[in-house]
Amino acid sequence: MKKQNLIAFGVLVLSIVFASCKTEASKEEVTSTENKTNVLLDGTYQIDAANSTANWQGDMLGLYSHSGVVAIKEGSVEIKDGKIVGGNIVVDMKTIMPTDNGYTKDNPKEKLLAHLMSNDFFNVNDFATSTFKITGFENNEVKGDLTVRDKTNSEVAKEVNITPTDSGFKASGKLVFNRQNYGVAFKMPVKDKVLSDDITLNISLAATK
């Protein structure tokens, strides 16, 4: 009888140990799977234009500001060691659209839009796209060559944040450039109204591998 009890006890112990090992293995498998999810792999990622945006802002110093959006047309980003090391972003200048509320009956949104698209500003008929060619990444800043109106200067996108996703990554950053460097030289005809030379772009990218 004692022998049978010992055998039964042994079987029970083995069952518990086996179940425990199976649970631990299952946990390890889940952990392993989780570790492989949302990892930013090296390679070339294509920009998902439909889920990427560029928001712009220009200030009338001491008075007010205008803001809006412009569509990202296409592009790619090169990732190495979890960092952005190269790529090219193309912006469709013909999609410039103000989204703020600083308008009146005498100065409607349509008037500003026509002005932005004219030769006073971005001359979108002759220069339909602008580009940002990425040249490097350091200290959460992306360096690159910005081309607007066929004029190119080195610029830096700051406050860059990259978040891996199941299909690629999302990234955001802010780029401030001097419009005078790109031939956007319009000046207000009224002396007490000064248009800032700085234009701010807040960029949000979605990319897939």
Side-chain angles (χ1 to χ4, degrees):
M1 187 70 174
K2 289 183 179 180
K3 186 175 181 181
Q4 290 178 339
N5 288 340
L6 286 173
I7 291 173
F9 179 74
V11 170
L12 178 62
V13 170
L14 287 174
S15 298
I16 293 172
V17 171
F18 178 75
S20 175
C21 290
K22 186 175 181 181
T23 300
E24 291 300 320
S26 178
K27 287 182 179 178
E28 289 179 3
E29 184 178 346
V30 171
T31 302
S32 177
T33 302
E34 288 177 349
N35 288 339
K36 291 179 181 178
T37 302
N38 295 347
V39 175
L40 192 57
L41 302 175
D42 289 355
T44 301
Y45 292 73
Q46 299 301 316
I47 291 176
D48 179 0
N51 292 300
S52 300
T53 59
N55 294 279
W56 55 265
Q57 179 175 316
D59 296 325
M60 187 74 69
L61 298 181
L63 295 173
Y64 56 86
S65 65
H66 283 301
S67 58
V69 296
V70 60
I72 293 174
K73 184 178 181 180
E74 59 186 1
S76 62
V77 177
E78 190 74 23
I79 299 293
K80 185 176 181 180
D81 299 329
K83 298 179 180 180
I84 297 175
V85 295
N88 191 52
I89 302 169
V90 181
V91 174
D92 184 354
M93 298 303 292
K94 290 188 176 183
T95 65
I96 293 176
M97 180 58 64
T99 56
D100 62 283
N101 297 315
Y103 306 98
T104 64
K105 184 177 180 180
D106 294 331
N107 291 288
K109 180 184 296 186
E110 291 76 14
K111 183 177 179 180
L112 174 63
L113 179 58
H115 202 191
L116 291 174
M117 291 187 170
S118 74
N119 192 47
D120 283 341
F121 281 89
F122 297 106
N123 190 8
V124 300
N125 285 331
D126 291 336
F127 307 102
T129 61
S130 295
T131 61
F132 184 65
K133 183 179 179 181
I134 299 168
T135 59
F137 181 96
E138 186 177 1
N139 299 324
N140 288 338
E141 296 181 351
V142 172
K143 299 178 181 179
D145 296 327
L146 178 64
T147 300
V148 178
R149 289 184 58 136
D150 216 23
K151 298 181 184 297
T152 302
N153 294 280
S154 296
E155 302 286 358
V156 178
K158 300 182 178 182
E159 302 173 19
V160 175
N161 183 50
I162 307 171
T163 305
T165 64
D166 290 340
S167 58
F169 69 86
K170 291 183 178 180
S172 62
K174 180 170 71 175
L175 191 156
V176 180
F177 67 92
N178 187 322
R179 63 188 179 87
Q180 298 287 348
N181 294 335
Y182 299 90
V184 186
F186 176 76
K187 294 182 180 180
M188 293 298 296
V190 183
K191 290 183 179 180
D192 60 349
K193 292 184 177 181
V194 179
L195 183 63
S196 173
D197 286 338
D198 287 341
I199 296 177
T200 301
L201 291 175
N202 286 295
I203 304 168
S204 296
L205 297 179
T208 57
K209 200 169 189 303

